[in-house]
């Protein structure tokens, strides 16, 4: 009864599409086009159709998918790139790679996504200080929910800034039926195994409808090729995806819309059963989240006791993220917007994520819900 359940179960999906994936793998291995094989180009076409952008470029990771557009735009020392602090390190890491300055911006306490007002404040401060040139905003779709793109796009337009959607967790999420592609210059995503749309290793993709940008990024992805691969016209990287991962993703993309629906249904069930005791991440009106994580807030003083009580019932919980980036050793010397990011600080003490994946059956959901209700009561008593 108290056998631990997995936080994310990849084996249920594997069982569902085992035959199709195994057939795809055998074909790639037999045919031998391990790099830039036909599945790469098929996947790029299908992702474009899915995501509503003219062009998709698949690459080796979600991190490369963020770095490539910054490289293509010539982001360099002296440039400012605005990023949320309450996110995974890769969002800011790529900015530092290029010698540019990540400016950490706060998030909203209910949606956990970039706060447009604080973004405006951060841009104003950079302009006033006059040392850095504002160039790009990277908005993150945290835990699967699209950021407030209409508001963020308007701010970007007012200042001539490019907008990247870091959709590593939220690829496929929509606001009023539209994906981030309706507002962003580039949508980047990751296919790391724990992400909602994932391969069996590392992989990523970026999408754009800017034809010239896409051509430069294709070149950068493969060592900056010019007329052919031994003619190098810019400093690039080896950023290719393996053909095997593309073959796997073709089968996974086919069932992804159904999986998003399953995640929405599980999240709705969790919310109905727990909202009297904890505060879940709030969705914007008309939002569909891919629910990369199902995350709730509870008083910071009760979190450790709650997690221990869940563990004793065999239900794992995880903290995303226990330390915002502006507090991390590698990033704390970079600027923060005006007020010092109190919401990111507060959230890092309050959030905790429950098991979530598309194949969580009703009985397991019941077990998570029952364990959560008991554990919340225990944690409240202990406090
Ligand atoms: C996972 C993740 C990335 C990086 O993706 P990788 O494929 O692991 O390189 C970037 N941004 C966010 C928000 C992520 O969650």
């Amino acid at each position: 009864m108290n056998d631990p359940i997995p936080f994310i179960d990849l084996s249920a999906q594997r069982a569902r599409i085992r035959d199709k994936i195994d057939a795809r793998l055998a074909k790639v291995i037999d045919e031998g086009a391990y790099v830039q094989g036909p599945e790469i180009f098929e996947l790029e076409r299908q992702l474009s159709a899915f995501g509503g952008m003219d062009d998709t470029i698949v690459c080796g990771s979600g991190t490369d998918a963020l770095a490539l557009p910054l490289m293509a735009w010539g982001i360099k020392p002296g440039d400012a790139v605005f990023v949320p602090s309450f996110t995974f390190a890769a969002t800011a890491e790529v900015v530092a790679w290029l010698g540019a300055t990540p400016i950490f911006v706060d998030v909203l306490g209910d949606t956990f996504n970039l706060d447009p007002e604080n973004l405006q404040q951060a841009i104003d401060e950079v302009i006033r200080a006059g040392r850095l040139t504002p160039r790009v905003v990277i908005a993150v779709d945290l835990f699967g929910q699209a950021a407030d793109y209409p508001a963020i796009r308007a701010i970007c337009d007012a200042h001539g800034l490019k907008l990247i959607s870091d959709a590593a967790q939220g690829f496929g999420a929509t606001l009023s039926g539209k994906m981030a592609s309706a507002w962003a210059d580039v949508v980047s995503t990751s296919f790391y195994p724990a992400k909602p749309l994932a391969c069996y290793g590392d992989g990523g993709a970026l999408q754009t409808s800017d034809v010239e940008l896409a051509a430069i990024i294709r070149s950068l992805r493969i060592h900056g090729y010019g007329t052919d691969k031994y003619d190098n016209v810019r400093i690039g990287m080896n950023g290719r995806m393996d053909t095997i991962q593309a073959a796997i993703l073709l089968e996974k993309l086919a069932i992804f819309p159904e999986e998003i629906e399953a995640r929405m249904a599980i999240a709705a069930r969790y919310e109905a059963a727990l909202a009297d005791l904890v505060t879940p991440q709030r969705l914007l009106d008309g939002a569909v989240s891919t629910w990369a994580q199902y995350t709730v807030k509870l008083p910071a003083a009760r979190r450790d006791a709650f997690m221990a009580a869940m563990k004793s019932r065999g239900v794992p919980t995880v903290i995303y993220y226990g330390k915002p980036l502006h507090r991390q050793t590698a990033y704390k010397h970079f600027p923060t917007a005006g007020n010092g990011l109190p919401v990111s600080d507060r959230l890092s003490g309050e959030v905790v994520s429950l098991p979530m994946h598309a194949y969580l059956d009703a009985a397991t959901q019941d077990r998570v819900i029952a364990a959560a209700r008991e554990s919340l009561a225990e944690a409240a008593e202990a406090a």
Side-chain angles (χ1 to χ4, degrees), residues 61-63 66 87-88 90-91 140 166 168-169 190 192 195 203 321:
S61 70
T63 306
L66 291 169
T87 179
F88 181 64
T91 313
V140 175
D166 179 352
Q169 302 176 11
S190 164
Y192 178 80
K195 311 284 179 176
Y321 296 93

Side-chain angles (χ1 to χ4, degrees), residues 262-309:
R263 287 171 183 268
M264 282 293 283
I266 296 163
R269 205 146 167 256
Y270 277 172
E271 168 145 3
L274 299 173
D276 58 325
L277 298 177
V278 285
T279 313
Q281 179 183 23
R282 184 177 80 80
L283 290 201
L284 294 173
D285 290 342
V288 170
S289 171
T290 58
W291 293 107
Q293 305 296 344
Y294 186 84
T295 304
V296 299
K297 290 187 290 184
L298 71 167
R302 298 183 191 178
R303 188 171 65 178
D304 285 351
F306 170 72
M307 294 177 74

Side-chain angles (χ1 to χ4, degrees), residues 131-307:
R131 282 191 301 274
L132 300 171
T133 310
R135 295 290 304 276
V136 181
V137 173
I138 306 179
V140 175
D141 298 344
L142 204 74
F143 306 148
Q145 176 177 211
D148 185 353
Y149 287 110
I152 295 167
R153 179 78 250 178
I155 294 169
C156 289
D157 285 346
H159 296 280
L161 307 182
K162 300 287 189 192
L163 174 59
I164 297 177
S165 158
D166 179 352
Q169 302 176 11
F171 185 63
T174 56
L175 295 175
S176 309
K178 290 190 232 168
M179 291 193 201
S181 52
W183 297 277
D185 297 290
V186 170
V187 175
S188 299
T189 193
S190 164
F191 303 122
Y192 178 80
K195 311 284 179 176
L197 178 61
C199 57
Y200 289 154
D202 279 307
L206 61 96
Q207 307 195 296
T208 183
S209 291
D210 179 336
V211 184
E212 279 166 40
L213 181 72
I216 295 170
I217 290 174
R218 282 184 187 283
S219 161
L220 285 168
R221 177 182 58 171
I222 309 182
H223 307 295
Y225 67 75
T227 51
D228 67 59
K229 68 178 172 177
Y230 300 112
D231 170 39
N232 306 99
V233 296
R234 50 179 70 82
I235 307 290
M237 60 159 77
N238 176 358
R240 290 177 298 243
M241 172 186 280
D242 291 341
T243 307
I244 272 190
Q245 301 299 351
I248 291 161
L249 281 162
L250 282 167
E251 292 304 329
K252 296 226 201 179
L253 182 61
I255 57 171
F256 187 45
E258 258 176 60
E259 293 180 340
I260 296 175
E261 280 185 32
R263 287 171 183 268
M264 282 293 283
I266 296 163
R269 205 146 167 256
Y270 277 172
E271 168 145 3
L274 299 173
D276 58 325
L277 298 177
V278 285
T279 313
Q281 179 183 23
R282 184 177 80 80
L283 290 201
L284 294 173
D285 290 342
V288 170
S289 171
T290 58
W291 293 107
Q293 305 296 344
Y294 186 84
T295 304
V296 299
K297 290 187 290 184
L298 71 167
R302 298 183 191 178
R303 188 171 65 178
D304 285 351
F306 170 72
M307 294 177 74

